Structure formats: structure tokens, C-alpha cells
Amino acid sequence: MSTPQDDPVDDRSPSPEQGFASRDQLRAMAHPVRMEIVERVGRRGTARAADIAADLGIAANSVSYHLRTLARGGVIVEAPEAARDKRDRVWKLAQIDFMHAPSHDASVDDDYLSASAETTLVAIDWIRSGWIAESARRRAHHPEPEGAQAPAMLFSTPMRLSREQARELFASVQEKLLEYNRLNRDESGADLPGDPDSGGHAQDVRVLFTVLGERPRDGRDADPGSSAEPPAPHSGTE
């Protein structure tokens, strides 16, 4: 399997300068542990391998390997201003979020779409695993009668929207996510001490939504030209 550094640079690929995650960034993040590491680095602002290892409960040498992979992909960069000396390796995110370029962008090719799909599947599992862990924690702290469930909150609803309505929905949700992220995070995306705008009792919230396209009608395939254009999936540290 090729790695980001093995592939020739494609100047047509979406890039951070365009406001989108690059193909190499997406490929680097397409791993469950690396998704967790990206979140923790972002939440801390700057982090060492030992910090992340303590947060996630995994070996520091394993974290170092994943950090190097993320660095090669351009997801994180070194933060020498936070280092104690020249041997101290401290990392920070290369950018605050990693928006996937939409499929209708002229610079998006099959390789980019593949990388986007892989990262999105990891993000789905990231949300799923977080929900399972929180449900287990609630059951442990608030035992219910045998057979009863005390799951974490999860909301789901189907909608039928036009292409333009789907884009408007995505834009409004993205704006609201940024607004609420600013409540307890600084300009770099790092958590502020004490969660000041939440009274010290902020909770982690993971958000995911998608557009699936148009359902077939009367057993026929839907006209692909009339389906809603899926908004770019968002991977980051919301």
C-alpha cells in the first residue's frame, strides 16, 4: 500500500490554501488511532508523544509512529516555540480543520475521492466508538434494572431536500459549529482552561451528517443529475 510520500505531487489536487484538506492529509488521517491523535493534538493545542500516549492509554512508541505519519501527510507540524530544548519534539495541527473538497470541484479526481471516502469511514467509526464508550460509562455509573439501557444521547432524522437546500443546510450547520467551538476554545482550536463559557461542565459532542442522494423511484435508478450533491464531509476536532 502506498504512503503519501511515495506518490508524486499532483498540483491539481485540492490543498489547504484552497480551504480544503489535501489528498495526503486525508490519507494520513484514515486510521482510527490517528483520528484520535488529531483530536487530542487539536484539543491540547500542542502535544508531545508522551502526552498523547497518556491521553489514549497506548504505548508512546506507537504514538510516535502515528505522529510521524501525520507529519509526512501534512496534518501536523512541529511547534518549536513550545519545546523545552532542541531534542524536545512538540506537535500542533497544521490547520484548525480539514474540510473535504466537494466532488464537483474541478481539482477532485478519483484518488482524492478514494482518500475522502476512507477518512469519512474512519470518522463514522470514531463517532460510533465514542457513543459506545459513553453508553458503557453511563451504565457503569448509573446501573439500570437488568435488560434496561442507559445509552448516550444520539439523534437521527431523515430529510428530503433539494440540492440547494442541502448546501444551505451544510453551510448553516458549519457556521453554528464554528460559533459554538469558539465558546470554549482559543483561536488555534485548543481547549480553554475551565471551559469558561460552559460553567466548567462542558461535554464532548461529535457531529456527523451526510446527504445520500435520491432514492430510486418505481424500481428505476434515480437520475444522477437530479440528486442532491453531498456536502463535503467534515473531519476535525469538533
Side-chain angles (χ1 to χ4, degrees):
M1 179 176 179
S2 64
T3 57
Q5 70 272 19
D6 295 328
D7 296 324
V9 174
D10 184 352
D11 292 336
R12 299 174 302 163
S13 177
S15 67
E17 290 72 22
Q18 296 171 288
F20 301 122
S22 70
R23 178 190 60 191
D24 287 352
Q25 287 175 332
L26 294 177
R27 284 180 173 175
M29 289 189 292
H31 187 284
V33 174
R34 292 198 282 274
M35 185 72 71
E36 293 279 3
I37 289 174
V38 170
E39 181 195 21
R40 295 314 309 168
V41 173
R43 296 282 296 272
R44 281 179 168 271
T46 60
R48 299 170 176 83
D51 299 328
I52 303 301
D55 286 349
L56 302 183
I58 58 180
N61 60 347
S62 177
V63 172
S64 295
Y65 165 77
H66 289 300
L67 287 170
R68 290 194 297 272
T69 301
L70 290 168
R72 287 196 299 268
V75 178
I76 60 174
V77 294
E78 289 202 56
E81 67 278 6
R84 292 185 289 257
D85 53 50
K86 292 183 178 180
R87 294 177 298 176
D88 187 23
R89 303 197 77 179
V90 186
W91 303 93
K92 62 183 178 182
L93 294 185
Q95 58 208 65
I96 294 178
D97 58 39
F98 298 89
M99 187 72 68
H100 300 211
S103 59
H104 59 76
D105 189 291
S107 58
V108 169
D109 57 15
D110 288 345
D111 285 344
Y112 189 90
L113 290 175
S114 176
S116 176
E118 290 175 10
T119 307
T120 300
L121 288 174
V122 172
I124 291 171
D125 191 58
W126 172 65
I127 290 179
R128 174 180 175 274
S129 61
W131 182 80
I132 291 173
E134 176 61 12
S135 295
R137 186 192 69 80
R138 292 189 180 204
R139 284 194 295 270
H141 287 81
H142 304 284
E144 299 285 340
E146 186 175 354
Q149 297 292 319
M153 289 187 295
L154 179 67
F155 300 95
S156 174
T157 181
M159 303 178 72
R160 293 283 287 168
L161 303 174
S162 69
R163 181 192 301 262
E164 186 57 35
Q165 287 171 332
R167 290 176 177 170
E168 289 176 1
L169 173 64
F170 179 76
S172 62
V173 171
Q174 179 68 5
E175 181 180 354
K176 188 59 68 172
L177 288 174
L178 293 174
E179 175 188 337
Y180 276 90
N181 259 330
R182 287 192 288 266
L183 293 178
N184 292 311
R185 295 189 182 181
D186 63 21
E187 293 181 355
S188 71
D191 288 350
L192 293 171
D195 295 322
D197 282 77
S198 299
H201 299 288
Q203 301 180 87
D204 286 343
V205 177
R206 298 182 181 183
V207 179
L208 174 70
F209 70 95
T210 187
V211 175
L212 300 178
E214 189 171 352
R215 292 193 301 265
R217 297 186 298 272
D218 301 327
R220 301 189 303 269
D221 289 336
D223 176 7
S226 64
S227 63
E229 180 68 34
H234 179 76
S235 300
T237 58
E238 271 80 42

